[in-house]
């Protein structure tokens, strides 16, 4: 089945609070992707939720050795920057990274990583504090490749994207 012809669905479950700053609160969240329990870091701005919800930025990280990658600490500055600017930020691990189930792999794994992000996006749209009409994507290096695949499969899932040194 092609990626465009399959369905994507999941729910976000808050697992634990990681940190609080003056601008946002960070959580470890989980979601299901093709039967695998995957994790993400979610930064939620502090303050009153805007009408319609917070705009969302999905941060697709670049290549980091899966054994070294950290849900809590990898791309922490990028995630904090967007949260401090008033965005709800979700930085998904990819399968096989940190505690996320599944196998990390080579170039072909980027298809699986895009599937993980597409399942996550289906869950983000159901978050009561997120604005489903203002979902944006950031992709760095390998994450740029993942972001492009997501946009090609579901152009209506993301309002806009910014790719930094995409490995494509």
């Amino acid at each position: 089945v092609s990626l465009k012809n399959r369905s994507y669905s999941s729910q976000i479950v808050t697992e634990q609070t990681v940190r609080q700053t003056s601008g946002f609160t960070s959580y470890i969240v989980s979601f299901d992707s093709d039967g695998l329990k995957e994790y993400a870091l979610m930064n939620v701005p502090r303050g009153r939720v805007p009408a319609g919800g917070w705009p969302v930025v999905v941060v697709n990280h670049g290549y980091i050795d899966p054994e070294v990658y950290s849900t809590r600490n990898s791309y922490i500055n990028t995630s904090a920057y967007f949260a401090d600017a008033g965005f709800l930020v979700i930085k998904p691990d990819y399968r096989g990274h940190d505690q996320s189930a599944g196998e990390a792999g080579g170039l072909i794994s980027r298809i699986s990583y895009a599937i993980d992000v597409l399942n996550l996006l289906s869950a983000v749209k159901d978050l009561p504090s997120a604005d489903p009409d203002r979902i944006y994507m950031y992709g760095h290096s390998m994450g740029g490749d993942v972001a492009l695949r997501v946009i090609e499969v579901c152009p209506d899932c993301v309002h806009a994207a910014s790719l930094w040194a995409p490995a494509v």
Side-chain angles (χ1 to χ4, degrees):
V1 175
S2 79
L3 294 179
K4 288 185 178 185
N5 293 330
R6 55 173 286 176
S7 62
Y8 301 94
S9 68
S10 193
Q11 292 182 315
I12 292 175
V13 176
T14 301
E15 300 285 339
Q16 70 182 85
T17 303
V18 175
R19 66 181 63 89
Q20 290 190 358
T21 72
S22 61
F24 61 89
T25 303
S26 293
Y27 303 93
I28 299 289
V29 298
S30 64
F31 63 99
D32 178 80
S33 183
D34 289 358
L36 300 172
K37 187 172 184 177
E38 306 296 323
Y39 292 89
L41 180 73
M42 183 170 75
N43 292 346
V44 180
R46 295 180 73 157
R48 187 176 190 161
V49 178
W54 297 108
V56 177
V57 172
V58 177
V59 173
N60 293 297
H61 67 81
Y63 179 79
I64 298 173
D65 184 330
E67 300 298 319
V68 175
Y69 174 84
S70 167
T71 306
R72 293 173 187 242
N73 297 315
S74 296
Y75 282 72
I76 190 171
N77 293 332
T78 302
S79 299
Y81 174 81
F82 287 116
D84 281 334
F87 290 88
L88 186 152
V89 179
I90 300 184
K91 178 192 58 84
D93 301 352
Y94 303 128
R95 53 186 72 188
H97 288 70
D98 201 341
Q99 298 299 310
S100 288
E103 298 276 331
L107 190 59
I108 194 73
S109 67
R110 295 178 188 180
I111 295 169
S112 299
Y113 299 164
I115 290 169
D116 295 342
V117 174
L118 286 159
N119 281 309
L120 177 63
L121 284 172
S122 74
V124 168
K125 293 179 180 196
D126 292 332
L127 284 175
S129 60
D131 184 340
D133 296 322
R134 294 191 299 161
I135 297 176
Y136 305 94
M137 197 163 284
Y138 168 96
H140 172 244
S141 189
M142 178 184 72
D145 186 3
V146 172
L148 282 175
R149 289 173 193 271
V150 168
I151 293 166
E152 186 169 335
V153 170
C154 188
D156 297 331
C157 290
V158 178
H159 189 70
S162 178
L163 307 180
W164 291 67
V168 293

